[in-house]
Every structure is written in C-alpha cells, then in structure tokens.
Amino acid sequence: MLSIPQKWHFSSHPLPRISSVLNPPGEIKRVVLSPKGRTKLNPLPDREFYASPRFVKHVDDKFISNLRDLYGEILRPEMEILDLCSSWVSHLPDEVAYERVVGHGLNAQELARNPRLSYFFVKDLNKDQKLEMEDSTFHAVLCTVSVQYLQQPEKVFAEVFRVLRPGGVFIVSFSNRLFYEKAIAAWRDGTGYSRVQLVVQYFQCVEGFTQPQVIRKLPNAKQGNSIFSQIAGVFGLLSGSDPFYAVIAYKNFKPIYE
C-alpha cells in the first residue's frame, strides 16, 4: 500500500476551469500592429494600384524553386487549397493535380490567366477581411510574397484559421522585395529577421495555431553585401539571390501522414 508523506498537503479548493483561462479557438488574443505600423506611403485604395495587370514574377527562379519544393513536401494531391493574394502564377508543383485550388487577388485579369485555379474571386482584404466561405473548408491556405501589404493581418489570420480544416496548414512565404509605397510601415522599417518575427506574431496572436515553424534560405554571403545591392533588393531590382523565408503553422495540430 502506498503511503502519502505527512508533509504533502492537498488543497480543498477546486482547480480553475480551463475554459475561463483559454481563449476560444480562432479568437484574436492581442493586437500586433500599432496604428502607425499599419500605414502606407501610398494611401490610395489598393484596387486602384493593382488595376493594371502585372504579368511578371516578383521573385527570382531560386526562390520559386525553394517554394515549389516546400509545397511538394507539405501539400498533398487530395487537398483543397486557398491561394490568398494570388496572381497569374501560384508556384505549385507542375506534376501535382490538387483536388481544388481557389484563388484570391486584386486583379481579375491576372487571376484569369492562372492555370492552377479552379475559380477565383477579387477582394481587397485591407477594406474587408471577411472571407465569404464556410468554416473548415480548406486543407491549406497559401500567401506568397504578399503578407507585407496586409493592414489588418490579425483579422486576416483569424479568418484563415476559420476557413482551415482542423490540421490544415497556412504557409506564408516572402522575400525582401516589395512595392515600397504599398508595404505597411512595420514591414518597410524592418529587417529580414524582424519581418520573420512579425509574421510569427501574426500566427501567435490567433488562438489555436500551432507554434510557427520558420524556414530561412539566404543567398551566399558574397552576394548582395553592397549598399546598392541591398537597396536594389528592397525595391525588387535584382534578378537573383532573393532570400527565401517561410513561416508555417497548423490549425489545432500538425497531422502525421503515412
């Protein structure tokens, strides 16, 4: 028979209810950005800025190769995918046919040219963050080189959480290129490290996402060290050696596939 030492004392007070401590899944726990951090140098509506189609790739071939490899590791053919802030290309692996890929963006002409999309819709997420979709619709949500333009990222990430299925993944990828006048101040004023941490905080501010995983693939140290190279990289003028960053988290849990 196990005897309990006399020095151990057990409280008769009941433990607090967990539901009174934790936030409901999908709830925004805290605000990440200050009002100033959300501002843009160009305050005109984004729909006007993106009114004319841009049939260009905003990152270099190495970045795209890294992104396709990442998608190949995480995404599965039977998945239904939402490509958020998409364009005329989705950078999905060519050899994989997914169950469904829904595109979102700001220019209908660009989205109509994207061969991977089952259908698409146009919406300015800086004006209205609500996604007109049912809860738990998608296995995966992607956001490629566009997170820097979100002025209400907390609300957007909460909406992504809502439309993801349990175990669904949100993959946010970016480099150092941007439309400078359209990026939010918190992003413009940051470094590669601080921008990664900013996206990590976007995930962490929504109750229910798993601990974000960060992937960094930086160019060779011999490249991009000059002041000109750094400035050119910020403005998207370099044709190669883009740094690759991705932040990944899952809704509720990370699934294990055989």
Short mmCIF file of all heavy atoms in Angstrom, two decimals, residues 165-231:
data_model
loop_
_atom_site.label_atom_id
_atom_site.label_comp_id
_atom_site.label_asym_id
_atom_site.label_seq_id
_atom_site.Cartn_x
_atom_site.Cartn_y
_atom_site.Cartn_z
N ARG A 165 -9.50 23.60 -42.27
CA ARG A 165 -9.97 22.41 -41.57
C ARG A 165 -9.04 22.12 -40.39
O ARG A 165 -7.88 22.53 -40.40
CB ARG A 165 -9.98 21.21 -42.51
CG ARG A 165 -10.90 21.38 -43.72
CD ARG A 165 -11.00 20.10 -44.50
NE ARG A 165 -11.82 20.27 -45.71
CZ ARG A 165 -12.27 19.26 -46.45
NH1 ARG A 165 -11.96 18.01 -46.12
NH2 ARG A 165 -13.01 19.50 -47.52
N PRO A 166 -9.50 21.43 -39.36
CA PRO A 166 -8.58 21.02 -38.29
C PRO A 166 -7.39 20.25 -38.86
O PRO A 166 -7.56 19.36 -39.69
CB PRO A 166 -9.46 20.12 -37.41
CG PRO A 166 -10.85 20.63 -37.65
CD PRO A 166 -10.89 21.04 -39.10
N GLY A 167 -6.20 20.66 -38.47
CA GLY A 167 -4.99 20.07 -39.03
C GLY A 167 -4.53 20.73 -40.31
O GLY A 167 -3.49 20.37 -40.86
N GLY A 168 -5.30 21.71 -40.79
CA GLY A 168 -4.93 22.42 -42.01
C GLY A 168 -3.74 23.32 -41.80
O GLY A 168 -3.46 23.78 -40.69
N VAL A 169 -3.03 23.62 -42.88
CA VAL A 169 -1.77 24.36 -42.81
C VAL A 169 -1.90 25.71 -43.49
O VAL A 169 -2.57 25.86 -44.50
CB VAL A 169 -0.63 23.53 -43.45
CG1 VAL A 169 -0.88 23.27 -44.93
CG2 VAL A 169 0.72 24.20 -43.24
N PHE A 170 -1.24 26.71 -42.91
CA PHE A 170 -1.13 28.05 -43.50
C PHE A 170 0.35 28.30 -43.76
O PHE A 170 1.17 28.30 -42.84
CB PHE A 170 -1.71 29.09 -42.55
CG PHE A 170 -1.81 30.49 -43.11
CD1 PHE A 170 -1.75 30.74 -44.48
CD2 PHE A 170 -1.98 31.58 -42.26
CE1 PHE A 170 -1.86 32.03 -44.99
CE2 PHE A 170 -2.10 32.87 -42.76
CZ PHE A 170 -2.03 33.09 -44.12
N ILE A 171 0.69 28.52 -45.04
CA ILE A 171 2.09 28.72 -45.45
C ILE A 171 2.23 30.16 -45.95
O ILE A 171 1.63 30.53 -46.95
CB ILE A 171 2.50 27.74 -46.56
CG1 ILE A 171 2.27 26.29 -46.11
CG2 ILE A 171 3.96 27.95 -46.96
CD1 ILE A 171 2.51 25.26 -47.21
N VAL A 172 3.03 30.94 -45.25
CA VAL A 172 3.28 32.34 -45.61
C VAL A 172 4.74 32.45 -46.04
O VAL A 172 5.64 32.18 -45.26
CB VAL A 172 3.01 33.29 -44.43
CG1 VAL A 172 3.27 34.74 -44.83
CG2 VAL A 172 1.58 33.12 -43.93
N SER A 173 4.97 32.85 -47.28
CA SER A 173 6.33 32.96 -47.80
C SER A 173 6.58 34.38 -48.30
O SER A 173 5.66 35.06 -48.78
CB SER A 173 6.56 31.96 -48.93
OG SER A 173 5.65 32.15 -49.99
N PHE A 174 7.83 34.82 -48.20
CA PHE A 174 8.17 36.18 -48.62
C PHE A 174 9.67 36.30 -48.80
O PHE A 174 10.45 35.44 -48.37
CB PHE A 174 7.67 37.21 -47.59
CG PHE A 174 8.09 36.94 -46.18
CD1 PHE A 174 9.24 37.51 -45.65
CD2 PHE A 174 7.34 36.10 -45.36
CE1 PHE A 174 9.63 37.26 -44.35
CE2 PHE A 174 7.72 35.84 -44.05
CZ PHE A 174 8.87 36.41 -43.54
N SER A 175 10.08 37.38 -49.43
CA SER A 175 11.50 37.68 -49.63
C SER A 175 11.74 39.11 -49.17
O SER A 175 11.04 39.61 -48.29
CB SER A 175 11.87 37.47 -51.11
OG SER A 175 13.27 37.58 -51.28
N ASN A 176 12.73 39.77 -49.78
CA ASN A 176 12.99 41.16 -49.41
C ASN A 176 12.45 42.13 -50.45
O ASN A 176 12.66 43.34 -50.35
CB ASN A 176 14.48 41.39 -49.21
CG ASN A 176 15.29 41.06 -50.46
OD1 ASN A 176 14.76 40.57 -51.46
ND2 ASN A 176 16.60 41.29 -50.41
N ARG A 177 11.75 41.63 -51.45
CA ARG A 177 11.18 42.51 -52.48
C ARG A 177 9.80 42.99 -52.06
O ARG A 177 9.07 42.29 -51.37
CB ARG A 177 11.09 41.77 -53.81
CG ARG A 177 12.41 41.26 -54.33
CD ARG A 177 12.30 40.96 -55.79
NE ARG A 177 13.44 40.23 -56.30
CZ ARG A 177 13.76 40.19 -57.59
NH1 ARG A 177 13.03 40.85 -58.47
NH2 ARG A 177 14.80 39.50 -58.00
N LEU A 178 9.44 44.16 -52.52
CA LEU A 178 8.13 44.71 -52.18
C LEU A 178 7.87 45.96 -53.01
O LEU A 178 8.79 46.59 -53.53
CB LEU A 178 8.05 45.08 -50.70
CG LEU A 178 8.97 46.20 -50.19
CD1 LEU A 178 8.38 46.82 -48.93
CD2 LEU A 178 10.37 45.68 -49.88
N PHE A 179 6.59 46.29 -53.16
CA PHE A 179 6.20 47.61 -53.65
C PHE A 179 6.29 48.53 -52.43
O PHE A 179 5.43 48.51 -51.55
CB PHE A 179 4.78 47.59 -54.21
CG PHE A 179 4.63 46.77 -55.47
CD1 PHE A 179 3.77 45.69 -55.50
CD2 PHE A 179 5.35 47.10 -56.61
CE1 PHE A 179 3.63 44.94 -56.66
CE2 PHE A 179 5.22 46.35 -57.77
CZ PHE A 179 4.36 45.27 -57.79
N TYR A 180 7.35 49.32 -52.40
CA TYR A 180 7.71 50.04 -51.19
C TYR A 180 6.58 50.94 -50.70
O TYR A 180 6.30 51.01 -49.50
CB TYR A 180 8.97 50.88 -51.45
CG TYR A 180 9.63 51.39 -50.20
CD1 TYR A 180 10.38 50.55 -49.38
CD2 TYR A 180 9.49 52.73 -49.83
CE1 TYR A 180 10.99 51.03 -48.23
CE2 TYR A 180 10.10 53.21 -48.68
CZ TYR A 180 10.84 52.36 -47.89
OH TYR A 180 11.44 52.84 -46.75
N GLU A 181 5.91 51.63 -51.62
CA GLU A 181 4.86 52.57 -51.22
C GLU A 181 3.60 51.88 -50.75
O GLU A 181 2.73 52.52 -50.14
CB GLU A 181 4.53 53.52 -52.38
CG GLU A 181 3.81 52.89 -53.56
CD GLU A 181 4.74 52.32 -54.61
OE1 GLU A 181 5.84 51.84 -54.23
OE2 GLU A 181 4.38 52.34 -55.79
N LYS A 182 3.49 50.56 -50.99
CA LYS A 182 2.28 49.83 -50.60
C LYS A 182 2.50 48.89 -49.41
O LYS A 182 1.54 48.33 -48.89
CB LYS A 182 1.73 49.05 -51.80
CG LYS A 182 0.83 49.88 -52.70
CD LYS A 182 -0.37 50.40 -51.93
CE LYS A 182 -1.33 51.21 -52.76
NZ LYS A 182 -2.47 51.70 -51.96
N ALA A 183 3.74 48.72 -49.01
CA ALA A 183 4.01 47.89 -47.82
C ALA A 183 3.71 48.70 -46.56
O ALA A 183 3.89 49.92 -46.53
CB ALA A 183 5.46 47.44 -47.82
N ILE A 184 3.25 48.03 -45.52
CA ILE A 184 2.95 48.72 -44.27
C ILE A 184 4.25 49.19 -43.61
O ILE A 184 5.33 48.62 -43.84
CB ILE A 184 2.15 47.83 -43.31
CG1 ILE A 184 2.95 46.59 -42.90
CG2 ILE A 184 0.80 47.45 -43.92
CD1 ILE A 184 2.31 45.79 -41.79
N ALA A 185 4.16 50.21 -42.78
CA ALA A 185 5.35 50.81 -42.15
C ALA A 185 6.12 49.80 -41.31
O ALA A 185 7.35 49.81 -41.30
CB ALA A 185 4.93 52.00 -41.30
N ALA A 186 5.42 48.94 -40.60
CA ALA A 186 6.10 47.96 -39.75
C ALA A 186 6.98 47.03 -40.57
O ALA A 186 7.98 46.51 -40.07
CB ALA A 186 5.07 47.16 -38.96
N TRP A 187 6.61 46.82 -41.83
CA TRP A 187 7.40 45.96 -42.71
C TRP A 187 8.52 46.76 -43.37
O TRP A 187 9.67 46.31 -43.44
CB TRP A 187 6.51 45.33 -43.78
CG TRP A 187 7.13 44.18 -44.50
CD1 TRP A 187 7.97 44.24 -45.58
CD2 TRP A 187 6.98 42.79 -44.19
NE1 TRP A 187 8.35 42.98 -45.97
CE2 TRP A 187 7.74 42.07 -45.13
CE3 TRP A 187 6.26 42.10 -43.22
CZ2 TRP A 187 7.81 40.68 -45.12
CZ3 TRP A 187 6.32 40.72 -43.21
CH2 TRP A 187 7.09 40.03 -44.15
N ARG A 188 8.20 47.95 -43.87
CA ARG A 188 9.20 48.78 -44.54
C ARG A 188 10.38 49.07 -43.63
O ARG A 188 11.54 49.06 -44.06
CB ARG A 188 8.59 50.12 -44.97
CG ARG A 188 7.54 50.06 -46.03
CD ARG A 188 7.29 51.45 -46.61
NE ARG A 188 7.19 52.50 -45.59
CZ ARG A 188 6.06 52.90 -45.03
NH1 ARG A 188 4.91 52.32 -45.36
NH2 ARG A 188 6.05 53.87 -44.14
N ASP A 189 10.12 49.33 -42.38
CA ASP A 189 11.16 49.73 -41.43
C ASP A 189 11.92 48.55 -40.85
O ASP A 189 12.82 48.75 -40.03
CB ASP A 189 10.54 50.55 -40.29
CG ASP A 189 9.88 51.83 -40.79
OD1 ASP A 189 10.24 52.28 -41.89
OD2 ASP A 189 9.00 52.35 -40.08
N GLY A 190 11.55 47.34 -41.24
CA GLY A 190 12.12 46.16 -40.61
C GLY A 190 13.30 45.57 -41.37
O GLY A 190 13.72 46.05 -42.42
N THR A 191 13.86 44.51 -40.80
CA THR A 191 14.92 43.71 -41.40
C THR A 191 14.36 42.34 -41.72
O THR A 191 13.21 42.02 -41.38
CB THR A 191 16.09 43.57 -40.43
OG1 THR A 191 15.64 42.84 -39.25
CG2 THR A 191 16.62 44.93 -40.00
N GLY A 192 15.18 41.50 -42.37
CA GLY A 192 14.73 40.14 -42.63
C GLY A 192 14.32 39.42 -41.37
O GLY A 192 13.29 38.75 -41.32
N TYR A 193 15.13 39.58 -40.31
CA TYR A 193 14.82 38.91 -39.04
C TYR A 193 13.54 39.45 -38.42
O TYR A 193 12.67 38.68 -37.99
CB TYR A 193 15.98 39.10 -38.06
CG TYR A 193 15.71 38.51 -36.69
CD1 TYR A 193 15.89 37.15 -36.45
CD2 TYR A 193 15.25 39.31 -35.64
CE1 TYR A 193 15.62 36.60 -35.20
CE2 TYR A 193 14.97 38.77 -34.40
CZ TYR A 193 15.16 37.42 -34.19
OH TYR A 193 14.89 36.89 -32.95
N SER A 194 13.40 40.78 -38.37
CA SER A 194 12.22 41.36 -37.72
C SER A 194 10.95 41.05 -38.50
O SER A 194 9.88 40.91 -37.90
CB SER A 194 12.39 42.87 -37.56
OG SER A 194 12.36 43.53 -38.82
N ARG A 195 11.05 40.93 -39.82
CA ARG A 195 9.87 40.60 -40.62
C ARG A 195 9.41 39.17 -40.36
O ARG A 195 8.21 38.90 -40.28
CB ARG A 195 10.17 40.82 -42.10
CG ARG A 195 10.33 42.28 -42.46
CD ARG A 195 10.95 42.48 -43.82
NE ARG A 195 11.10 43.90 -44.15
CZ ARG A 195 11.77 44.37 -45.19
NH1 ARG A 195 12.37 43.52 -46.02
NH2 ARG A 195 11.86 45.67 -45.40
N VAL A 196 10.37 38.27 -40.20
CA VAL A 196 10.02 36.89 -39.83
C VAL A 196 9.30 36.88 -38.49
O VAL A 196 8.26 36.24 -38.32
CB VAL A 196 11.27 36.00 -39.79
CG1 VAL A 196 10.97 34.66 -39.11
CG2 VAL A 196 11.82 35.76 -41.19
N GLN A 197 9.85 37.61 -37.53
CA GLN A 197 9.24 37.65 -36.20
C GLN A 197 7.86 38.28 -36.24
O GLN A 197 6.98 37.91 -35.46
CB GLN A 197 10.16 38.42 -35.23
CG GLN A 197 11.49 37.75 -34.98
CD GLN A 197 11.34 36.28 -34.60
OE1 GLN A 197 10.61 35.95 -33.65
NE2 GLN A 197 12.01 35.40 -35.33
N LEU A 198 7.66 39.24 -37.14
CA LEU A 198 6.36 39.86 -37.28
C LEU A 198 5.32 38.84 -37.73
O LEU A 198 4.21 38.76 -37.18
CB LEU A 198 6.44 41.02 -38.28
CG LEU A 198 5.31 42.04 -38.29
CD1 LEU A 198 5.18 42.73 -36.93
CD2 LEU A 198 5.52 43.07 -39.39
N VAL A 199 5.67 38.02 -38.74
CA VAL A 199 4.73 37.01 -39.22
C VAL A 199 4.49 35.95 -38.14
O VAL A 199 3.36 35.47 -37.97
CB VAL A 199 5.26 36.36 -40.52
CG1 VAL A 199 4.31 35.26 -40.99
CG2 VAL A 199 5.42 37.42 -41.61
N VAL A 200 5.52 35.60 -37.41
CA VAL A 200 5.36 34.67 -36.28
C VAL A 200 4.32 35.23 -35.30
O VAL A 200 3.45 34.51 -34.81
CB VAL A 200 6.70 34.42 -35.58
CG1 VAL A 200 6.50 33.70 -34.24
CG2 VAL A 200 7.62 33.59 -36.47
N GLN A 201 4.41 36.52 -35.01
CA GLN A 201 3.45 37.14 -34.09
C GLN A 201 2.04 37.15 -34.66
O GLN A 201 1.07 37.03 -33.90
CB GLN A 201 3.88 38.57 -33.77
CG GLN A 201 5.13 38.67 -32.91
CD GLN A 201 5.47 40.11 -32.59
OE1 GLN A 201 4.73 40.81 -31.89
NE2 GLN A 201 6.59 40.58 -33.12
N TYR A 202 1.91 37.28 -35.98
CA TYR A 202 0.58 37.21 -36.59
C TYR A 202 -0.07 35.86 -36.28
O TYR A 202 -1.27 35.79 -35.95
CB TYR A 202 0.65 37.38 -38.09
CG TYR A 202 1.09 38.75 -38.59
CD1 TYR A 202 1.49 38.93 -39.92
CD2 TYR A 202 1.09 39.86 -37.75
CE1 TYR A 202 1.89 40.17 -40.39
CE2 TYR A 202 1.49 41.11 -38.22
CZ TYR A 202 1.88 41.26 -39.55
OH TYR A 202 2.28 42.48 -40.02
N PHE A 203 0.70 34.79 -36.41
CA PHE A 203 0.18 33.46 -36.07
C PHE A 203 -0.13 33.36 -34.58
O PHE A 203 -1.19 32.87 -34.18
CB PHE A 203 1.20 32.38 -36.43
CG PHE A 203 1.19 31.96 -37.88
CD1 PHE A 203 2.21 32.33 -38.73
CD2 PHE A 203 0.16 31.18 -38.37
CE1 PHE A 203 2.21 31.93 -40.06
CE2 PHE A 203 0.14 30.77 -39.70
CZ PHE A 203 1.17 31.15 -40.55
N GLN A 204 0.78 33.85 -33.75
CA GLN A 204 0.64 33.68 -32.31
C GLN A 204 -0.49 34.50 -31.72
O GLN A 204 -0.97 34.19 -30.63
CB GLN A 204 1.96 34.03 -31.62
CG GLN A 204 3.09 33.05 -31.91
CD GLN A 204 4.40 33.46 -31.28
OE1 GLN A 204 4.63 34.64 -31.00
NE2 GLN A 204 5.29 32.50 -31.07
N CYS A 205 -0.93 35.54 -32.42
CA CYS A 205 -1.99 36.38 -31.88
C CYS A 205 -3.36 35.74 -32.05
O CYS A 205 -4.35 36.23 -31.48
CB CYS A 205 -1.97 37.77 -32.50
SG CYS A 205 -2.73 37.89 -34.14
N VAL A 206 -3.46 34.66 -32.82
CA VAL A 206 -4.73 33.96 -33.03
C VAL A 206 -4.70 32.66 -32.24
O VAL A 206 -3.81 31.82 -32.42
CB VAL A 206 -4.96 33.68 -34.53
CG1 VAL A 206 -6.27 32.91 -34.72
CG2 VAL A 206 -5.00 34.98 -35.32
N GLU A 207 -5.67 32.48 -31.37
CA GLU A 207 -5.75 31.27 -30.54
C GLU A 207 -5.98 30.04 -31.41
O GLU A 207 -6.90 30.02 -32.23
CB GLU A 207 -6.89 31.40 -29.54
CG GLU A 207 -7.02 30.21 -28.59
CD GLU A 207 -5.82 30.11 -27.66
OE1 GLU A 207 -5.47 31.12 -27.03
OE2 GLU A 207 -5.25 29.00 -27.57
N GLY A 208 -5.12 29.03 -31.26
CA GLY A 208 -5.37 27.75 -31.92
C GLY A 208 -4.34 27.33 -32.94
O GLY A 208 -4.26 26.15 -33.28
N PHE A 209 -3.54 28.28 -33.46
CA PHE A 209 -2.48 27.88 -34.37
C PHE A 209 -1.36 27.19 -33.59
O PHE A 209 -1.07 27.57 -32.44
CB PHE A 209 -1.89 29.09 -35.11
CG PHE A 209 -2.63 29.51 -36.34
CD1 PHE A 209 -3.22 30.76 -36.42
CD2 PHE A 209 -2.74 28.66 -37.43
CE1 PHE A 209 -3.91 31.16 -37.56
CE2 PHE A 209 -3.43 29.04 -38.57
CZ PHE A 209 -4.02 30.29 -38.64
N THR A 210 -0.74 26.20 -34.21
CA THR A 210 0.41 25.57 -33.58
C THR A 210 1.60 26.54 -33.58
O THR A 210 1.57 27.57 -34.25
CB THR A 210 0.82 24.29 -34.34
OG1 THR A 210 1.20 24.64 -35.69
CG2 THR A 210 -0.31 23.28 -34.38
N GLN A 211 2.65 26.19 -32.84
CA GLN A 211 3.85 27.02 -32.81
C GLN A 211 4.41 27.16 -34.23
O GLN A 211 4.68 26.16 -34.89
CB GLN A 211 4.91 26.41 -31.90
CG GLN A 211 6.20 27.20 -31.81
CD GLN A 211 6.01 28.61 -31.25
OE1 GLN A 211 5.11 28.84 -30.44
NE2 GLN A 211 6.84 29.54 -31.68
N PRO A 212 4.57 28.37 -34.73
CA PRO A 212 5.03 28.54 -36.11
C PRO A 212 6.43 27.97 -36.34
O PRO A 212 7.30 28.07 -35.48
CB PRO A 212 5.01 30.06 -36.30
CG PRO A 212 4.10 30.58 -35.25
CD PRO A 212 4.24 29.65 -34.08
N GLN A 213 6.59 27.38 -37.51
CA GLN A 213 7.89 26.88 -37.96
C GLN A 213 8.46 27.89 -38.95
O GLN A 213 7.77 28.34 -39.86
CB GLN A 213 7.74 25.51 -38.62
CG GLN A 213 9.02 24.98 -39.26
CD GLN A 213 8.77 23.76 -40.12
OE1 GLN A 213 7.63 23.29 -40.23
NE2 GLN A 213 9.82 23.25 -40.74
N VAL A 214 9.73 28.23 -38.79
CA VAL A 214 10.37 29.22 -39.65
C VAL A 214 11.41 28.53 -40.53
O VAL A 214 12.22 27.73 -40.06
CB VAL A 214 11.05 30.32 -38.81
CG1 VAL A 214 11.85 31.27 -39.70
CG2 VAL A 214 10.02 31.09 -38.00
N ILE A 215 11.39 28.86 -41.82
CA ILE A 215 12.38 28.36 -42.77
C ILE A 215 13.08 29.56 -43.39
O ILE A 215 12.42 30.48 -43.89
CB ILE A 215 11.73 27.50 -43.87
CG1 ILE A 215 11.08 26.26 -43.24
CG2 ILE A 215 12.75 27.10 -44.93
CD1 ILE A 215 10.32 25.41 -44.24
N ARG A 216 14.41 29.55 -43.35
CA ARG A 216 15.21 30.60 -43.97
C ARG A 216 16.22 29.97 -44.91
O ARG A 216 16.94 29.05 -44.53
CB ARG A 216 15.98 31.41 -42.92
CG ARG A 216 15.14 32.22 -41.94
CD ARG A 216 16.06 33.00 -41.00
NE ARG A 216 15.35 33.79 -40.04
CZ ARG A 216 14.97 33.35 -38.85
NH1 ARG A 216 15.23 32.10 -38.50
NH2 ARG A 216 14.31 34.15 -38.01
N LYS A 217 16.27 30.47 -46.13
CA LYS A 217 17.31 30.08 -47.06
C LYS A 217 17.87 31.36 -47.65
O LYS A 217 17.26 31.99 -48.52
CB LYS A 217 16.74 29.16 -48.14
CG LYS A 217 16.29 27.81 -47.60
CD LYS A 217 15.91 26.84 -48.70
CE LYS A 217 15.52 25.48 -48.11
NZ LYS A 217 15.17 24.51 -49.17
N LEU A 218 19.04 31.77 -47.15
CA LEU A 218 19.62 33.05 -47.51
C LEU A 218 20.64 32.89 -48.61
O LEU A 218 21.28 31.84 -48.74
CB LEU A 218 20.26 33.68 -46.28
CG LEU A 218 19.34 33.84 -45.06
CD1 LEU A 218 20.08 34.49 -43.91
CD2 LEU A 218 18.10 34.64 -45.42
N PRO A 219 20.83 33.93 -49.43
CA PRO A 219 21.81 33.86 -50.51
C PRO A 219 23.23 33.79 -49.96
O PRO A 219 23.47 34.07 -48.78
CB PRO A 219 21.58 35.15 -51.29
CG PRO A 219 20.93 36.08 -50.32
CD PRO A 219 20.10 35.20 -49.42
N ASN A 220 24.13 33.43 -50.83
CA ASN A 220 25.53 33.34 -50.46
C ASN A 220 26.01 34.66 -49.89
O ASN A 220 25.65 35.74 -50.38
CB ASN A 220 26.36 32.99 -51.71
CG ASN A 220 27.71 32.40 -51.34
OD1 ASN A 220 28.38 32.90 -50.45
ND2 ASN A 220 28.06 31.32 -52.02
N ALA A 221 26.83 34.60 -48.85
CA ALA A 221 27.30 35.82 -48.18
C ALA A 221 28.06 36.75 -49.12
O ALA A 221 28.18 37.94 -48.88
CB ALA A 221 28.19 35.45 -46.99
N LYS A 222 28.58 36.20 -50.22
CA LYS A 222 29.33 37.02 -51.15
C LYS A 222 28.42 37.87 -52.03
O LYS A 222 28.88 38.75 -52.74
CB LYS A 222 30.20 36.12 -52.05
CG LYS A 222 31.29 35.38 -51.29
CD LYS A 222 32.12 34.54 -52.24
CE LYS A 222 33.22 33.79 -51.50
NZ LYS A 222 34.03 32.95 -52.42
N GLN A 223 27.15 37.58 -52.00
CA GLN A 223 26.22 38.28 -52.85
C GLN A 223 25.40 39.28 -52.03
O GLN A 223 25.04 39.02 -50.89
CB GLN A 223 25.26 37.30 -53.53
CG GLN A 223 25.97 36.25 -54.36
CD GLN A 223 25.01 35.22 -54.90
OE1 GLN A 223 23.83 35.27 -54.64
NE2 GLN A 223 25.54 34.28 -55.66
N GLY A 224 25.13 40.40 -52.62
CA GLY A 224 24.20 41.35 -52.00
C GLY A 224 24.72 42.08 -50.80
O GLY A 224 23.95 42.50 -49.96
N ASN A 225 26.07 42.25 -50.66
CA ASN A 225 26.61 42.92 -49.49
C ASN A 225 26.74 44.43 -49.67
O ASN A 225 26.84 45.16 -48.70
CB ASN A 225 27.99 42.34 -49.13
CG ASN A 225 27.87 40.98 -48.48
OD1 ASN A 225 26.86 40.69 -47.86
ND2 ASN A 225 28.88 40.15 -48.63
N SER A 226 26.77 44.90 -50.91
CA SER A 226 26.96 46.32 -51.15
C SER A 226 25.68 47.08 -50.81
O SER A 226 24.58 46.53 -50.78
CB SER A 226 27.33 46.57 -52.60
OG SER A 226 26.23 46.30 -53.45
N ILE A 227 25.85 48.37 -50.55
CA ILE A 227 24.71 49.22 -50.26
C ILE A 227 23.74 49.21 -51.44
O ILE A 227 22.52 49.12 -51.29
CB ILE A 227 25.15 50.66 -49.95
CG1 ILE A 227 25.98 50.69 -48.66
CG2 ILE A 227 23.94 51.58 -49.83
CD1 ILE A 227 25.21 50.25 -47.43
N PHE A 228 24.30 49.28 -52.66
CA PHE A 228 23.44 49.26 -53.85
C PHE A 228 22.64 47.98 -53.94
O PHE A 228 21.45 47.99 -54.24
CB PHE A 228 24.29 49.43 -55.12
CG PHE A 228 23.50 49.22 -56.38
CD1 PHE A 228 22.66 50.22 -56.86
CD2 PHE A 228 23.56 48.01 -57.07
CE1 PHE A 228 21.91 50.03 -58.01
CE2 PHE A 228 22.81 47.81 -58.22
CZ PHE A 228 21.99 48.82 -58.69
N SER A 229 23.30 46.83 -53.67
CA SER A 229 22.62 45.55 -53.75
C SER A 229 21.48 45.46 -52.74
O SER A 229 20.40 44.96 -53.03
CB SER A 229 23.61 44.40 -53.52
OG SER A 229 24.57 44.35 -54.54
N GLN A 230 21.74 45.96 -51.53
CA GLN A 230 20.69 45.92 -50.51
C GLN A 230 19.51 46.79 -50.89
O GLN A 230 18.35 46.39 -50.76
CB GLN A 230 21.27 46.37 -49.16
CG GLN A 230 22.33 45.42 -48.61
CD GLN A 230 22.91 45.92 -47.30
OE1 GLN A 230 22.26 46.62 -46.54
NE2 GLN A 230 24.15 45.56 -47.04
N ILE A 231 19.79 48.01 -51.39
CA ILE A 231 18.71 48.90 -51.79
C ILE A 231 17.96 48.33 -52.99
O ILE A 231 16.73 48.32 -53.04
CB ILE A 231 19.26 50.30 -52.12
CG1 ILE A 231 19.84 50.94 -50.86
CG2 ILE A 231 18.16 51.19 -52.71
CD1 ILE A 231 20.53 52.26 -51.11
#
